[in-house]
Amino acid sequence: MCGIVGYSGPSNSVGPIIEGLSRLEYRGYDSAGICLKINDELQIIKKEGKLDNLKELIQELKPFSHTGIGHTRWATHGGVSTDNAHPHGNDTFAVVHNGIIENAGALKKELMSEGLQFKSQTDSEVFLVLLTKFFKQSGKTLESISKAFQALTGNSAFVIIEKASDKLYCVKRSAPLVVGENSSTREAYVSSDPFALVGFAPKIYFPQDGVICESSVTNSDVQIKFYELDLTLSHRYKTQANAMTVDATTKGPYKHFMLKEIHEQSALVDKLAAYYIKDDGRKILESLKDFKPKGWHLTACGTAWHAGLVIKNFLEANNRQNASIDIASEFRYKNPILNQGEVGLFISQSGETADTLACQELCKDNGIPSYSIVNVEGSTLFRNSDKNFLIHAGVEIGVASTKAFTLQALTGYFMSRAMEGTLDNPELFTEVQLLSHRIGELCDSSDTLKDVAEKVYTKKGFIFTGRGKYFPIALEGALKLKEIAYVHAEGYAAGELKHGPIALIEENMVNIAIVGPELLEKTISNVEEVKARRGIIIIVGPTNHAEIEALADAYIPLNFEGLPNLSPLYVNVALQFLAYHIARLKGTDIDKPRNLAKSVTVE
Ligand code: M6R
């Protein structure tokens, strides 16, 4: 949830730390701070609110330091305030933290009874106080980090700097953390995401849980050492070149990352098709040929859960296989029935969503193999899965997920076709090409969706409806709108409206009705029911259908022809644009909606 960046090297650490934090700000933006080692002192500069507030302070102070750590926060323990902002420090150490210390309350009580003091309400400071206490006893940094870390429960990543050296230390448990190295410029980095280090650190290390990393920069090289918690040398880490390019970190000609990411979808659909049908991805897909597990357990959160609903439809309708889908935070506590011969399928853009990871662990503990549909290669989900089906979306920065949904659902479709053994049927490639083409057309004509947005953006609430394959899209359309436009929106199965939610309908309520060619008459009847109660009707329906158009206050015509399987993905893009334009008219912070964070690494 929080963004972490650390630097040690010959340059001023402020530049790469602030640039890295800017890239990670989408992960949490309640406060931001840095700690710099200046003249052998640890100096903390932090500020409540978005990173811009911190940047202003830094502009004034113009600090210079060769070693520092920075953090953008998504508040968990302790309210949004400058005191609770990270880093937390004293005259020996400064720390930044991502995650939750579950036994923080008990530890804090114990430490306070020993006379130790706290400056914030955060759980993170408990680690700092413990670390300092152990250091006062032994004078040994690594040993103190290990002892303090072992005293904690819960999933966390910590980065630590000390007054006594220019070293960067870090350690984690089930939270993302990478170490970066640039040997030619003699620079060491730490971050919660390799994305922050693009253009800075060509080599990335992925330490495993419970491995302490110590990075130091000498006059001749960068030394990165890994230790187990008993302080023997560790080999439990992987290395990888950082393949991302700096382009990924900018908005290009677009006003928002969300808009850029919506526009990227057409090309990404083509790219994914080439990857899975013709190129490197073909091998992993073919391993599914004739695969018939006893059943699939799909779990995910938010938008990824909606993509899972689409995939469940593919598995059931096309493959006639049993597939259950659960919201990850429910699945993990429902004591699910898990039988040998079944498979867990975990869907996640980040691959770091705590609830989804917990479901994966649960399946593993019960001997159920785990497959993932994931964007971030090298993420925890990726590393812990038996098979990974990458979606190759590139970095998704908009907190509201767009391209990840399309590519998750499409990957699920390719998996379904691979099981059928129909990857080479020409109609598959044609349909995917058509999807890409139609998304492109939507991008070219998105101003018409702006006109629709103008008609309704001041209205009280929105009910998205759809039947069958469009029901998940109604849910996703509503989620997108509520998260970026801060307006009440719900997704409903169109036929379910009359069982309750229709009570909400009046002249200030909008029904965004998806009317696809399937179950068309029945869905129209549902629209009539809303119209009869004076609801405002926006229909996303087939082109050249005067009868349906006449029903609507605004009509979004889509060409469903030739997309028997993939039309839900196409409709969804129209709803992404609609949500975007409504949010723009409302003037919200589209890329960083309030209270949200990109990657939810806490329960
Ligand atoms: O990284 P993940 O795909 O696991 O994230 C899951 C959800 O947190 C995410 O989709 C969230 O719902 C987005 N804000 C939706 O736009």
Side-chain angles (χ1 to χ4, degrees):
M1 318 275 311
C2 306
I4 292 178
V5 185
Y7 172 93
S8 181
S11 303
N12 186 358
S13 60
V14 177
I17 291 176
I18 293 296
E19 172 59 27
L21 292 182
S22 307
R23 294 183 197 171
L24 298 186
E25 199 190 2
Y26 69 112
R27 287 171 164 259
Y29 29 87
D30 289 331
S31 59
I34 53 173
C35 179
L36 304 170
K37 199 182 149 208
I38 301 175
N39 299 330
D40 286 332
E41 295 295 330
L42 295 174
Q43 191 178 323
I44 292 176
I45 309 168
K46 55 189 185 179
K47 197 82 187 145
E48 182 183 329
K50 295 209 165 126
L51 184 62
D52 278 345
N53 299 350
L54 176 72
K55 283 183 183 165
E56 266 174 34
L57 249 176
I58 287 174
Q59 282 271 312
E60 272 170 42
L61 299 169
K62 301 201 180 356
F64 187 97
S65 159
H66 294 298
T67 305
I69 49 177
H71 187 269
T72 61
R73 177 171 188 244
W74 188 80
T76 55
H77 285 51
V80 176
S81 71
T82 300
D83 281 347
N84 288 336
H86 297 218
H88 297 285
N90 52 34
D91 58 2
T92 314
F93 294 109
V95 304
V96 288
H97 169 222
N98 176 19
I100 286 185
I101 301 173
E102 286 176 354
N103 56 345
L107 285 171
K108 189 167 177 177
K109 221 164 144 192
E110 205 179 300
L111 291 163
M112 284 175 83
S113 74
E114 292 170 23
L116 296 165
Q117 290 185 353
F118 288 78
K119 294 183 228 162
S120 76
Q121 287 82 50
T122 62
D123 54 341
S124 318
E125 200 186 355
V126 170
F127 176 73
L128 171 76
V129 173
L130 258 183
L131 167 67
T132 314
K133 172 184 145 173
F134 291 133
F135 185 77
K136 284 205 170 124
Q137 291 163 0
S138 69
K140 293 179 178 159
T141 302
L142 278 172
E143 186 184 304
S144 308
I145 292 174
S146 172
K147 275 176 94 172
F149 182 72
Q150 288 183 72
L152 312 176
T153 60
N155 300 335
S156 289
F158 298 96
V159 182
I160 305 120
I161 55 173
E162 61 184 349
K163 186 176 152 180
S165 79
D166 277 316
K167 290 178 180 172
L168 291 174
Y169 300 92
C170 62
V171 63
K172 64 139 196 148
R173 184 184 302 121
S174 289
L177 192 70
V178 298
V179 176
E181 177 185 346
N182 190 331
S183 50
S184 54
T185 54
R186 283 190 301 109
E187 291 173 312
Y189 295 86
V190 183
S191 179
S192 49
D193 190 331
F195 176 58
L197 308 185
V198 175
F200 294 116
K203 185 172 180 186
I204 302 290
Y205 296 81
F206 295 87
Q208 289 185 22
D209 286 354
V211 173
I212 305 175
C213 174
E214 177 193 54
S215 313
S216 38
V217 174
T218 70
N219 285 338
S220 55
D221 63 1
V222 181
Q223 290 177 1
I224 312 240
K225 291 183 187 156
F226 296 92
Y227 300 94
E228 296 295 336
L229 292 175
D230 63 6
L231 304 188
T232 54
L233 279 183
S234 173
H235 302 285
R236 289 193 303 121
Y237 61 88
K238 287 186 183 152
T239 55
Q240 195 177 293
N242 200 346
M244 281 183 268
T245 62
V246 180
D247 283 1
T249 66
T250 66
K251 288 184 213 152
Y254 299 98
K255 179 112 183 98
H256 295 98
F257 279 109
M258 182 182 176
L259 191 61
K260 177 186 179 204
E261 287 156 7
I262 294 174
H263 277 264
E264 281 171 358
Q265 293 178 103
S266 171
L268 286 170
V269 162
D270 288 334
K271 204 173 131 200
L272 196 71
Y275 173 74
Y276 276 122
I277 301 178
K278 296 182 180 156
D279 302 334
D280 293 359
R282 176 84 189 205
K283 202 165 149 215
I284 183 88
L285 267 194
E286 279 188 340
S287 70
L288 291 178
K289 185 146 190 266
D290 300 326
F291 185 51
K292 246 196 165 128
K294 282 203 181 128
W296 293 84
H297 294 283
L298 279 66
T299 51
C301 302
T303 288
W305 177 64
H306 297 152
L309 290 168
V310 176
I311 296 167
K312 173 187 154 80
N313 284 346
F314 292 140
L315 294 171
E316 286 183 345
N318 299 2
N319 303 85
R320 308 304 292 162
Q321 295 203 10
N322 291 322
S324 67
I325 174 145
D326 285 272
I327 293 172
S329 55
E330 291 295 313
F331 183 84
R332 63 185 291 190
Y333 292 116
K334 78 169 194 182
N335 192 11
I337 302 169
L338 298 168
N339 299 308
Q340 296 310 302
E342 294 171 338
V343 176
L345 178 61
F346 307 96
I347 307 162
S348 174
Q349 186 284 125
S350 60
E352 301 295 353
T353 300
D355 284 317
T356 309
L357 293 176
C359 296
Q360 184 186 41
E361 215 166 298
L362 184 67
C363 285
K364 277 195 141 180
D365 290 347
N366 284 276
I368 303 289
S370 22
Y371 291 8
S372 83
I373 294 184
V374 64
N375 191 28
V376 180
E377 195 171 353
S379 60
T380 309
L381 181 65
F382 178 94
R383 293 197 309 277
N384 294 343
S385 292
D386 299 298
K387 279 188 193 195
N388 288 296
F389 297 88
L390 284 163
I391 65 167
H392 289 295
V395 188
E396 189 180 63
I397 295 177
V399 167
S401 185
T402 51
K403 58 181 178 174
F405 173 89
T406 303
L407 298 166
Q408 284 161 347
L410 187 60
T411 301
Y413 183 55
F414 289 139
M415 290 170 71
S416 150
R417 296 292 299 238
M419 282 184 263
E420 280 177 357
T422 56
L423 282 178
D424 289 319
N425 286 15
E427 94 342 290
L428 168 63
F429 206 64
T430 309
E431 185 174 3
V432 178
Q433 270 185 324
L434 205 56
L435 173 69
S436 151
H437 177 72
R438 298 265 164 82
I439 293 176
E441 281 178 346
L442 268 177
C443 292
D444 294 342
S445 62
S446 86
D447 273 0
T448 56
L449 287 153
K450 197 158 137 197
D451 298 342
V452 177
E454 258 160 17
K455 284 191 181 171
V456 292
Y457 79 98
T458 54
K459 299 298 172 201
K460 183 165 121 194
F462 294 76
I463 299 190
F464 289 69
T465 50
R467 276 174 173 263
K469 59 169 75 158
Y470 304 109
F471 172 47
I473 306 307
L475 295 176
E476 174 58 11
L479 174 63
K480 217 77 318 168
L481 184 62
K482 74 183 111 185
E483 67 180 335
I484 63 167
Y486 313 155
V487 64
H488 187 93
E490 285 188 67
Y492 259 94
E496 182 68 7
L497 217 59
K498 55 185 165 299
H499 297 288
I502 202 160
L504 293 168
I505 301 296
E506 36 99 339
E507 57 256 333
N508 221 357
M509 283 292 284
V510 182
N511 175 205
I512 301 187
I514 307 167
V515 182
E518 307 83 358
L519 294 171
L520 186 127
E521 302 298 338
K522 290 189 190 298
T523 320
I524 291 178
S525 304
N526 301 136
V527 174
E528 297 273 17
E529 291 156 9
V530 176
K531 196 175 168 74
R533 287 155 183 90
R534 299 201 179 85
I536 300 157
I537 311 284
I538 297 181
I539 296 182
V540 183
T543 38
N544 302 321
H545 211 303
E547 186 204 337
I548 309 182
E549 199 166 342
L551 268 180
D553 297 289
Y555 194 65
I556 302 171
L558 295 185
N559 186 354
F560 289 79
E561 291 285 311
L563 297 174
N565 297 289
L566 299 176
S567 56
L569 284 61
Y570 169 46
V571 173
N572 189 55
V573 177
L575 298 187
Q576 290 172 353
F577 272 119
L578 191 62
Y580 175 81
H581 289 305
I582 293 177
R584 277 222 52 192
L585 290 161
K586 285 187 160 278
T588 57
D589 189 344
I590 292 180
D591 282 335
K592 295 193 223 74
R594 72 179 173 211
N595 304 337
L596 298 183
K598 184 65 184 167
S599 163
V600 185
T601 55
V602 294
E603 223 188 298

